Amino acid sequence: MLLIIKSYLLSDNVRVLKSEVSKTAYQGVFIAIAAIIIATCATSVFVTGEISLTGVMNAQKYNPGLWILDSIPFVFGFWGQYSSSIIAYQAGAMIVDQTQELRNRTDDLEKQTNYVTTHDPVTDLPNRTLFYDRVERAIFTAGNKELLLSILLIEIENFKDVYDTLGRNSSDIILKQISARLQGVCTERDSIAKLDGNIFAILLTDHADIGEAEQLAQYIQKALEQPFLVERLHFSVHSNVGIVHFPEHGEDVDSLVQRAGVALDLAQTSHKGYAIYDSSLDKHSPKRLTLMSELRRAIERSELELFYQAKVSIATQKLYGAEALLRWNHPKHGLISPDEFIPMAERTRMITQLTPWVLKQAFRNAGDWHKQGIELKVSVNLSAKDLHDTELPDYITGIAAVTGIKPEWIMLEITEGSVMRDPEHALNIINQLHAKGYQFSIDDFGTGYSSLAYLKKMPLTELKIDKSFVCDIINSENDAVIVKATINLAHNLGLQVTAEGVETKEIMEKLSEYGCDIAQGYYLNKPLSVKDFDEWMRSSEY
Ligand code: C2E
Ligand code: CA
Ligand code: CA
């Protein structure tokens, strides 16, 4: 194809240039003929004293100088044709060469961009996008030929510890070593990918029996058991493997990966370190399995709704803000709590569609309240995947512009776990949003990894003590101590403290005694629809 284009371009260029050079040659021929006529007439005048036919004929017959002159137009003609062809061909070839070079450079750039968007920068393995694409294609082929496929999800369980101990550069080296070992245990036809900070995936195509996937899981465990050598130190990683088979466990890539995630959870508690998906052990099943595919349509069918729960300032007993909590109004199952579908959506790509919806809706509600003169700070939950989405800051700026809200009306809730999955990327996004004026709250504090080092690095405004500690402060001395210490810690870091899970008046009073700033919980109100929340604001004492 390229050759055809090249020769076509060349002949085209030659034609144009040749006609230009030929034009000059024709002018030469014309000048030569004019010179012959003038010289002949001059000779005739010189010999006979006039310009006559006999004089002209005799001049041509007897004058050798004119014979030489007569040959000049032919010389010009030949020379013009010959040199025009050569020059035109050379010039044409030069242009084609230069165009070709430009085209090669464009091709290279295109390839590079393609590569960056489909590969993990650390390990060079395919990323989630490319892996999903490959699985989709494999499903298509396997479905037609009734072949077996398996997906193995491999999670490096203690990667966060490795990261904390070694830092980014050295943990990247471990990731590269893990990738190499995985490639070592796989065959050429298996596809390996890196889906997340600590999650790898392998697609096993057209294998004869499902035992092969299990055997591969055992090899993976063995291969990763050996310590990794970095900076002359030996590091061990703990891995879990979750396995699903197509078509037995799902018919599309989203449900397969989601169920491989369920198998991964089972693997964590299994002594073998790997597990095959089992719907009877899936606490997300059976209802939730079909939910995933329905969630996609839920947005279009307006089945999602944001509920709001009040945040009240303990010192002033005034309403401080409200947290937006997502609900799914399922036509068959009724109201579904986010705990039932958010973790699942986070495992697949669905969360990237849910968060924009939540943000738009919450910003719209915040805008409406402010227009009515109700100065609420609206808290919105972000998930781990959102903190890796480099487009999020611009997206949020766009929604803010459309809904006419100010960044200081919004509090973005993140969890330590979601930051720790890929701290550098997450921090980058958090800092960008913070620079635009958005405030951040660290949610579920105390439940995840509590890394004070990162807490200090993040531009936080608020710390939320998890409800599991708050609910019990009246009965559990332990929890009371934790809550009190956390409040002091947060205040020392310059953060305001919200306690969630405030279910009774006693808890509220105790929190007031501990110096807690804000309370949120059933004692104040349960999460309510916008209409009910408006009603609650009108009638409540806060
Ligand atoms: P969360 O952010 O920790 O939200 C607080 C949860 O505690 C809410 O559950 C709320 O209804 C519940 N809660 C509030 N007060 C009390 C109380 O006094 N006692 C008890 N026992 N529970 C209380 P909900 O609405 O079911 O949400 C569960 C989780 O789902 C949320 O936990 C949050 O992590 C997630 N979630 C909710 N909406 C969204 C969202 O729009 N995006 C994302 N990414 N996650 C969301
Ligand atoms: Ca929250
Ligand atoms: Ca929480």
Side-chain angles (χ1 to χ4, degrees):
M1 182 64 184
L2 209 65
L3 265 176
I4 298 173
I5 295 173
K6 197 172 164 176
S7 69
Y8 172 76
L9 265 175
L10 184 59
S11 68
D12 225 33
N13 287 334
V14 167
R15 212 176 313 124
V16 174
L17 284 163
K18 218 167 142 182
S19 76
E20 282 303 310
V21 179
S22 295
K23 235 186 260 166
T24 316
Y26 291 141
Q27 285 164 2
V29 171
F30 177 76
I31 293 168
I33 290 172
I36 293 169
I37 294 169
I38 294 166
T40 310
C41 292
T43 310
S44 166
V45 171
F46 187 71
V47 176
T48 62
E50 59 173 359
I51 300 172
S52 64
L53 186 63
T54 330
V56 167
M57 277 173 63
N58 282 339
Q60 279 292 336
K61 215 170 179 179
Y62 303 112
N63 202 323
L66 284 183
W67 299 345
I68 295 170
L69 204 57
D70 287 346
S71 68
I72 298 287
F74 299 103
V75 173
F76 261 119
F78 276 122
W79 169 77
Q81 281 304 317
Y82 175 73
S83 57
S84 71
S85 300
I86 299 280
I87 293 169
Y89 191 83
Q90 281 174 346
M94 251 162 65
I95 291 169
V96 168
D97 278 353
Q98 282 166 4
T99 328
Q100 185 58 38
E101 201 185 314
L102 273 178
R103 216 173 293 129
N104 286 347
R105 265 192 243 162
T106 319
D107 283 354
D108 286 351
L109 271 177
E110 216 167 88
K111 273 185 206 146
Q112 264 176 26
T113 322
N114 234 333
Y115 191 85
V116 169
T117 51
T118 52
H119 287 78
D120 171 64
V122 175
T123 57
D124 267 342
L125 287 175
N127 64 11
R128 185 181 285 270
T129 312
L130 185 54
F131 183 73
Y132 273 49
D133 194 49
R134 286 189 179 165
V135 175
E136 265 161 12
R137 266 187 277 160
I139 287 175
F140 182 74
T141 321
N144 284 342
K145 297 186 189 159
E146 295 187 8
L147 294 172
L148 247 178
L149 297 177
S150 302
I151 292 175
L152 288 84
L153 275 196
I154 303 131
E155 169 200 51
I156 311 301
E157 204 185 336
N158 60 335
F159 187 67
K160 192 242 158 203
D161 297 337
V162 174
Y163 190 100
D164 280 353
T165 320
L166 291 177
R168 187 183 182 114
N169 289 343
S170 300
S171 43
D172 279 357
I173 295 173
I174 291 200
L175 284 176
K176 279 186 201 149
Q177 293 179 5
I178 292 174
S179 151
R181 288 191 197 179
L182 290 178
Q183 290 176 64
V185 292
C186 289
T187 63
E188 299 285 298
R189 64 191 168 127
D190 308 332
S191 289
I192 311 178
K194 186 160 166 282
L195 302 194
D196 265 327
N198 66 335
I199 304 226
F200 292 82
I202 296 173
L203 167 69
L204 215 62
T205 48
D206 59 353
H207 48 104
D209 81 284
I210 50 177
E212 260 183 57
E214 207 172 330
Q215 195 169 41
L216 182 61
Q218 287 165 3
Y219 289 148
I220 291 169
Q221 292 276 321
K222 263 212 190 94
L224 299 183
E225 242 169 48
Q226 310 292 326
F228 293 84
L229 185 65
V230 183
E231 292 170 1
R232 277 178 283 157
L233 292 172
H234 289 280
F235 274 88
S236 297
V237 303
H238 307 298
S239 62
N240 298 304
V241 185
I243 307 170
V244 280
H245 303 302
F246 166 87
E248 193 188 337
H249 299 140
E251 292 186 345
D252 60 89
V253 55
D254 280 327
S255 25
L256 282 169
V257 173
Q258 182 260 317
R259 284 163 212 190
V262 172
L264 209 50
D265 291 346
L266 300 176
Q268 279 174 5
T269 50
S270 131
H271 63 280
K272 289 187 292 190
Y274 67 86
I276 298 168
Y277 174 76
D278 177 350
S279 62
S280 68
L281 294 173
D282 182 359
K283 50 181 191 302
H284 305 278
S285 78
K287 184 177 83 183
R288 292 187 213 184
L289 295 180
T290 50
L291 289 185
M292 228 27 239
S293 47
E294 292 173 350
L295 186 54
R296 213 183 298 276
R297 276 165 289 157
I299 299 179
E300 294 153 23
R301 294 183 187 168
S302 314
E303 290 169 11
L304 297 180
E305 191 177 350
L306 279 187
F307 274 37
Y308 285 89
Q309 187 177 33
K311 286 172 79 179
V312 167
S313 160
I314 298 176
T316 63
Q317 294 285 300
K318 287 258 176 318
L319 186 62
Y320 168 85
E323 179 176 6
L325 294 158
L326 191 57
R327 298 290 180 269
W328 179 2
N329 224 327
H330 194 281
K332 228 171 52 210
H333 307 298
L335 265 194
I336 303 178
S337 126
D339 280 336
E340 292 197 52
F341 62 91
I342 296 250
M344 220 158 48
E346 279 177 344
R347 277 215 174 98
T348 62
R349 290 168 293 189
M350 275 309 296
I351 196 75
T352 55
Q353 292 172 40
L354 273 188
T355 307
W357 184 89
V358 170
L359 285 165
K360 262 188 204 153
Q361 195 57 37
F363 280 31
R364 233 177 261 150
N365 294 143
D368 288 348
W369 280 318
H370 278 263
K371 256 182 238 152
Q372 295 165 38
I374 307 168
E375 291 186 357
L376 277 187
K377 197 185 282 280
V378 171
S379 297
V380 183
N381 291 283
L382 293 182
S383 80
K385 284 234 168 64
D386 301 324
L387 293 180
H388 297 157
D389 181 359
T390 47
E391 288 169 11
L392 187 76
D394 290 321
Y395 190 80
I396 288 185
T397 308
I399 308 179
V402 170
T403 51
I405 64 112
K406 289 194 182 136
E408 59 265 31
W409 300 348
I410 303 293
M411 178 84 80
L412 297 168
E413 294 195 3
I414 52 177
T415 62
E416 291 162 279
S418 64
V419 175
M420 292 318 296
R421 284 231 202 130
D422 187 350
E424 226 144 291
H425 274 117
L427 264 178
N428 178 22
I429 287 170
I430 292 168
N431 283 330
Q432 281 184 48
L433 283 164
H434 177 71
K436 290 178 196 280
Y438 291 94
Q439 296 183 339
F440 282 87
S441 167
I442 194 97
D443 200 2
D444 301 342
F445 189 79
T447 57
Y449 331 96
S450 300
S451 167
L452 279 178
Y454 273 103
L455 213 58
K456 258 175 62 187
K457 272 194 197 171
M458 285 190 278
L460 297 172
T461 300
E462 181 189 74
L463 182 149
K464 278 184 107 169
I465 309 178
D466 191 63
K467 55 182 174 288
S468 58
F469 301 107
V470 178
C471 289
D472 260 357
I473 50 170
I474 303 297
N475 303 318
S476 157
E477 185 56 32
N478 244 348
D479 285 355
V481 169
I482 292 173
V483 169
K484 209 175 357 180
T486 309
I487 292 170
N488 288 334
L489 168 88
H491 283 163
N492 284 333
L493 288 170
L495 308 177
Q496 74 180 26
V497 186
T498 292
E500 59 174 32
V502 179
E503 294 184 349
T504 62
K505 193 165 186 254
E506 288 77 27
I507 298 178
M508 186 87 164
E509 283 164 1
K510 197 82 171 184
L511 288 168
S512 167
E513 199 181 294
Y514 293 164
C516 183
D517 306 295
I518 295 158
Q520 177 183 349
Y522 294 167
Y523 170 64
L524 300 158
N525 67 6
K526 288 206 163 175
L528 301 167
S529 67
V530 172
K531 191 169 149 275
D532 292 344
F533 189 74
D534 281 338
E535 185 55 46
W536 178 86
M537 280 194 288
R538 267 193 291 276
S539 58
S540 87
E541 58 194 284
Y542 302 105

